[in-house]
Amino acid sequence: VQELLHIDRTTIYRMLKDGRLLGVKVGHQWRFPAHEVNDLLSGAIRVKQSERPYSVDILPLHCLQPIQDVFAEIAEVGAVTVDENGQPLTRIFNSGDFCKLIYESKQGYKACRQSWQKLVQQTNSSQKYFSCHAGLQYTSADIEIKGQRVAYFIVGQFLENSPEPEKFAESVQTLSYKYHIDPSKLLEASQGIPIHDNHRVTKINQWIERVSQTFGQISTERADLTSRLQQISEISIVNI
């Protein structure tokens, strides 16, 4: 490769590091796909690996689900991981009876999806908290792979303050009519909605950031491994 490109070994390593050249180390030797070298000789500009878009398919959901579930139980919140459209990627976990009744309604579940979508599409990073269509509080954190947002970890289904009984009962009744839910069942279930004070909410926000970072690290490692296997496959095909 040095002879073909008329550059020294140090430059080769620099090109590998900044993404201008794709290669994989097998044992103590480097291997380079022929098309990579040909592209450089022809003057083609290669997109850096870090600039390639990642999709939600790269997420190891079988690993993220149990971590999400343990967090939800410990923090006493409902939790779900969604894509940019508010579509759940993991199973919704630790929902209270109130939210379960709403999920059972087709219109209610659709409203929840819309709330999640609105939450993840907030561009102002200072707006971490969000009140859903049912009046419950949520917060979210980005899951990133090499600086690219791939998914969002959402937790919530709690209240920050004890609501006024009469007003709260009226809002619950409105929801029951809107989503065709038995009013008495929904009102009874609403009594079990957890209330977290400001201190607890601050802690939850700190915890969710750490968990989402862990999700990102796990996903990045998988993305790197997948990329490495693809490189080895390309080189193997060229050699064959």
Side-chain angles (χ1 to χ4, degrees), residues 36-77:
E36 285 287 322
V37 179
N38 290 332
D39 284 348
L40 286 171
L41 288 171
S42 66
I45 299 175
R46 179 177 176 273
V47 178
K48 293 182 181 180
Q49 182 68 22
S50 60
E51 294 175 350
R52 291 178 176 175
Y54 294 100
S55 71
V56 295
D57 295 333
I58 200 66
L59 297 173
L61 299 177
H62 64 288
C63 294
L64 306 190
Q65 181 77 61
I67 298 174
Q68 168 197 289
D69 296 353
V70 170
F71 172 86
E73 285 190 328
I74 293 175
E76 298 179 351
V77 293

Side-chain angles (χ1 to χ4, degrees), residues 55-61 64 81 89 143 145 150-151 215 219 222:
S55 71
V56 295
D57 295 333
I58 200 66
L59 297 173
L61 299 177
L64 306 190
T81 302
L89 300 173
I143 299 175
I145 299 179
V150 178
F215 283 174
S219 301
R222 187 187 190 196

Side-chain angles (χ1 to χ4, degrees), residues 65-98:
Q65 181 77 61
I67 298 174
Q68 168 197 289
D69 296 353
V70 170
F71 172 86
E73 285 190 328
I74 293 175
E76 298 179 351
V77 293
V80 65
T81 302
V82 304
D83 64 16
E84 61 182 3
N85 296 314
Q87 174 66 39
L89 300 173
T90 58
R91 182 181 68 257
I92 305 170
F93 190 77
N94 205 40
S95 293
D97 293 337
F98 182 81

